[in-house]
Amino acid sequence: MDPRYHFTESTAFEIWNVTRRDTGVYTVNCTNEVGSDNTTITLDVQYAPSVKMEEDPVYVDVGETADLFCVADANPIINTDMFSWKWLGEGEMEEMGEQSQDEATGQLTIQGATRAHAGHYQCTADNNIAPPASVAVQLVVRFKPELQKGAQWNKVASRGDGTRTAEVVCQGEGIPRLHFSWAKNGVPMDFIHPRYQEKTVREGSLHTSTVTVVNVSAALDYAVFTCTARNTLGEDTLNIQLLSTNQPDPPSEFRLVSFTHASATLEWIPGFDGGLEQRFRVRYRWAGSVSFLYVDVFPPKANIFSVTGLSPATTYNFSVNALNSMGESSYADNNSVLTITTEEWEGAVQEEDPLHTEETSGLSLYQTVIMAVVGGAPLLALNWLGCLLCLRWKKRQGQTESKGSVSDGKKSEGDGSTVSTASGSTRYEDRELVNPAAQRTLLIDSGSEPDSSVYESYAGESSHYYYPTSDYFPSLYTHPEGTQEPDGRRYPLEPIGHEYEEVRDWGMYQDVLGLSLPLPLSQFDPRLPEQRGEWRPPPPNYPQGSGRGMTAWQQPIRRKDPVVERRPERNDYDLPFELRGQGKRPWILLWNELRNYVTTQYGHQDSAELDGCMSVSHTTR
């Protein structure tokens, strides 16, 4: 006997872990010394339903009746409202069909099935024992081919110069599967020629057949291609014309979607784009307008657009056309006009009671005055206090600066440096250091201008040095123009001679004698090679009071060197490494002036010796 069956001490019969198979009639026999007897017991095991579809998927031709059967296994069986059906597609189905039940079978009947009825349905069985059971079924509505037709499908444009490729597309829907065939100008195409290729793609009930024409020729390929789609229920045909690129066709079915007091939303169906990218433009005007107003549709390929900025209760006339790079089309629907009257604006202010208005305004004014007095007085006091503190701070700052300048002057005197305290002059009061290696080249001229710059140096300090932050431009003194002697030298003229300043050219003639301080002889010898011996030229006889009282060797001896005229301007990188810096520093300008003078008067060899002398001087320091 099944171990799940057993008797208890009280002569009761038990069944453990009851299942559906335990349902049935049980007979009980009782026996004793007197005799025996028996009885029957019926066991009814109830359980939740399970369901399945009698057929899945279910096929039906369009216009025919579709029956969907759902079979349940449950106990008990409820004769009414045990089955329910639900549409699983997008949206809601208005008339899903008629529902019925026959014992444990539920039925959904759809009369006159259409393509909209195709999709998935769900059958649910519930006998009041949890949980309910559900199952899904697919309804397939078969229909004959239906090809896409319209302006965008009837034409294809491409250049016919033999360098372009065109695609002729035929797209349609149908169940069962579609089969395509093509013809060119009525002649069937077998696609043996390599210039013509055909490909078919299927996605559900959507089928697409594409014919690719390679190296389009205007003479051979500008024709009408006929696409035919067939299945067991029928066929459909579409003529597609291949032509040259041109301007677009006008849109069609121009209509109003919605409007308000200030806007109007319009919609249309695009026409053939002419083989190029097209865009759209809306034109409109009203009774009082001088001319039409034009609005470009954005995004360019959109076929629905809202025109804003309209006036309330105004009648407008709208039109739309298409444009591409080759031109524009006529306006939609044979240049027809869409007339729209905007709504009235309901945002007008309602009339108010004058007495109520006055009371309200008076109360608001009173509140405004109170808030101004309470909040403005502290702000005004803070403003006055801030002004007073600012004035005191400025006065104290001025006194501090004056004391600081005097104390700095005294301190600098103790250090051996000079700090100018005269107002209105350009000076370095922050004790900026000058390059020690260039001290010998700095020619200080404090009397060249009313406001001159004084450069100070700190001898014996660290090797790190600083440079003034402003440019120094040394002045060039005038000197008399001299006459040319047979030996090539120039001597000054009489005091009545013409004087001029050489400030235009740094190339040929340079003169540093106008500067206030000469260079030390230990570092620079201005004499010519023949002058460095015992030979001396005879001193010229100057009339008393002429010139500057200079000796013969101090007078500038000028020579015209053709190399100087072609020499490019020297930059900082032509200087020794110790004298290089950033910007036009004053000592750089003085160094360039000195070097140009030596090169002009005594040649490049002496200039090189000057560089070496300056480097040695910096090293010894």
Side-chain angles (χ1 to χ4, degrees):
M1 184 175 63
D2 194 332
R4 295 185 301 115
Y5 304 148
H6 65 280
F7 292 93
T8 64
E9 296 179 356
S10 58
T11 67
F13 181 71
E14 291 183 354
I15 303 177
W16 295 343
N17 299 328
V18 177
T19 63
R20 299 180 187 182
R21 294 178 299 175
D22 296 328
T23 301
V25 178
Y26 291 83
T27 303
V28 179
N29 294 318
C30 298
T31 304
N32 59 12
E33 297 176 355
V34 177
S36 63
D37 194 2
N38 59 56
T39 183
T40 59
I41 301 173
T42 302
L43 177 61
D44 184 14
V45 180
Q46 297 182 349
Y47 49 89
S50 61
V51 292
K52 64 178 182 179
M53 295 303 302
E54 191 175 84
E55 181 182 1
D56 185 27
V58 178
Y59 292 91
V60 62
D61 294 341
V62 64
E64 301 293 333
T65 301
D67 293 318
L68 287 76
F69 296 97
C70 177
V71 180
D73 179 12
N75 186 31
I77 299 297
I78 301 176
N79 294 328
T80 58
D81 299 332
M82 179 176 171
F83 295 92
S84 61
W85 295 85
K86 180 181 179 181
W87 162 252
L88 298 180
E90 297 180 358
E92 295 183 359
M93 182 79 63
E94 295 182 358
E95 297 181 359
M96 190 169 54
E98 181 181 356
Q99 303 181 25
S100 60
Q101 178 181 347
D102 182 12
E103 295 295 334
T105 302
Q107 181 178 355
L108 175 63
T109 302
I110 301 175
Q111 301 287 342
T114 63
R115 293 180 55 185
H117 289 101
H120 289 83
Y121 295 82
Q122 178 178 282
C123 172
T124 302
D126 186 3
N127 63 347
N128 296 328
I129 298 179
S134 300
V135 64
V137 62
Q138 180 182 7
L139 175 62
V140 179
V141 179
R142 296 178 294 191
F143 58 97
K144 66 178 183 178
E146 295 181 2
L147 298 179
Q148 299 284 350
K149 298 178 181 180
Q152 295 293 340
W153 301 96
N154 296 335
K155 296 180 182 179
V156 176
S158 177
R159 294 176 57 181
D161 55 1
T163 61
R164 300 302 176 93
T165 298
E167 291 185 349
V168 184
V169 180
C170 180
Q171 188 176 86
E173 293 182 285
I175 297 177
R177 185 171 183 174
L178 303 184
H179 299 276
F180 291 92
S181 62
W182 289 84
K184 175 184 174 184
N185 289 335
V187 179
M189 303 178 65
D190 52 9
F191 300 105
I192 297 178
H193 197 287
R195 292 181 57 245
Y196 301 100
Q197 303 172 4
E198 192 272 342
K199 181 180 180 181
T200 301
V201 177
R202 177 185 178 186
E203 296 180 359
S205 62
L206 183 65
H207 302 71
T208 303
S209 177
T210 303
V211 173
T212 303
V213 183
V214 183
N215 300 332
V216 177
S217 171
L220 301 177
D221 300 321
Y222 284 174
V224 176
F225 292 80
T226 302
C227 171
T228 302
R230 298 182 178 87
N231 66 6
T232 56
L233 300 179
E235 65 179 34
D236 195 8
T237 302
L238 174 64
N239 292 326
I240 305 173
Q241 184 179 3
L242 177 60
L243 41 78
S244 177
T245 54
N246 53 17
Q247 63 188 21
D249 291 345
S252 60
E253 298 185 20
F254 186 43
R255 69 183 187 91
L256 173 67
V257 177
S258 63
F259 66 95
T260 64
H261 68 279
S263 65
T265 303
L266 310 173
E267 186 180 16
W268 59 90
I269 296 178
F272 176 59
D273 57 8
L276 303 170
E277 184 176 353
Q278 68 175 348
R279 56 189 178 90
F280 301 96
R281 177 182 294 168
V282 175
R283 180 185 72 174
Y284 67 96
R285 68 180 305 175
W286 62 98
S289 62
V290 179
S291 61
F292 285 100
L293 295 181
Y294 297 84
V295 180
D296 290 327
V297 174
F298 184 83
K301 295 183 178 181
N303 65 331
I304 183 170
F305 183 70
S306 295
V307 181
T308 59
L310 305 180
S311 300
T314 305
T315 301
Y316 292 89
N317 295 326
F318 290 92
S319 302
V320 64
N321 70 337
L323 305 89
N324 63 11
S325 59
M326 297 191 67
E328 60 181 291
S329 69
S330 58
Y331 286 89
D333 301 328
N334 297 325
N335 296 323
S336 63
V337 175
L338 181 62
T339 303
I340 302 171
T341 301
T342 57
E343 297 177 347
E344 294 185 358
W345 186 38
E346 299 179 355
V349 180
Q350 299 180 356
E351 296 183 359
E352 299 180 355
D353 186 3
L355 297 177
H356 179 70
T357 303
E358 292 179 359
E359 294 176 359
T360 305
S361 61
L363 183 59
S364 300
L365 179 60
Y366 176 75
Q367 293 178 350
T368 303
V369 172
I370 294 300
M371 293 182 63
V373 172
V374 174
L379 294 178
L380 185 59
L382 290 176
N383 190 13
W384 289 343
L385 181 60
C387 293
L388 180 60
L389 294 177
C390 182
L391 292 176
R392 294 186 61 183
W393 178 82
K394 288 184 177 180
K395 184 177 180 181
R396 184 177 301 174
Q397 189 71 14
Q399 295 176 356
T400 304
E401 290 179 356
S402 62
K403 293 180 180 180
S405 61
V406 173
S407 62
D408 291 343
K410 295 180 179 180
K411 183 178 180 181
S412 61
E413 291 176 0
D415 295 340
S417 60
T418 302
V419 179
S420 175
T421 58
S423 61
S425 63
T426 304
R427 63 190 64 85
Y428 294 89
E429 298 182 357
D430 52 356
R431 303 179 60 180
E432 296 182 356
L433 298 183
V434 182
N435 183 359
Q439 287 179 354
R440 298 295 182 89
T441 65
L442 297 180
L443 305 181
I444 304 175
D445 184 11
S446 60
S448 59
E449 294 179 326
D451 297 336
S452 61
S453 301
V454 179
Y455 299 85
E456 296 129 9
S457 63
Y458 288 78
E461 291 196 12
S462 172
S463 60
H464 298 282
Y465 47 86
Y466 304 88
Y467 307 104
T469 57
S470 60
D471 293 343
Y472 171 72
F473 299 95
S475 61
L476 299 179
Y477 284 87
T478 60
H479 53 83
E481 182 178 3
T483 59
Q484 180 87 26
E485 295 295 332
D487 57 359
R489 298 185 179 86
R490 289 183 179 271
Y491 296 98
L493 295 177
E494 297 296 329
I496 60 175
H498 174 68
E499 293 185 351
Y500 64 95
E501 295 186 12
E502 295 183 6
V503 296
R504 297 182 180 179
D505 185 20
W506 290 83
M508 292 175 52
Y509 303 107
Q510 303 293 331
D511 188 4
V512 299
L513 296 179
L515 299 177
S516 60
L517 296 179
L519 294 176
L521 295 178
S522 60
Q523 297 185 13
F524 171 63
D525 189 358
R527 293 173 297 173
L528 294 174
E530 61 270 20
Q531 293 176 332
R532 297 176 186 175
E534 300 297 331
W535 179 85
R536 293 287 185 276
N541 291 327
Y542 293 103
Q544 186 164 355
S546 64
R548 300 180 181 268
M550 305 177 184
T551 61
W553 69 272
Q554 289 178 321
Q555 291 294 333
I557 302 176
R558 299 178 176 85
R559 293 184 302 171
K560 183 176 181 181
D561 188 357
V563 179
V564 176
E565 298 180 357
R566 298 189 298 270
R567 184 176 69 252
E569 183 179 358
R570 302 178 64 87
N571 53 37
D572 297 341
Y573 297 98
D574 295 331
L575 301 176
F577 179 82
E578 296 81 8
L579 300 182
R580 298 179 186 176
Q582 297 181 356
K584 293 289 185 179
R585 304 297 183 187
W587 55 271
I588 294 180
L589 296 177
L590 293 176
W591 173 262
N592 288 337
E593 181 184 359
L594 178 61
R595 176 152 186 153
N596 290 335
Y597 170 76
V598 173
T599 303
T600 303
Q601 302 299 329
Y602 307 107
H604 293 283
Q605 182 177 0
D606 293 326
S607 176
E609 293 180 1
L610 179 62
D611 290 342
C613 180
M614 184 57 61
S615 300
V616 171
S617 174
H618 178 73
T619 304
T620 56
R621 289 173 181 266

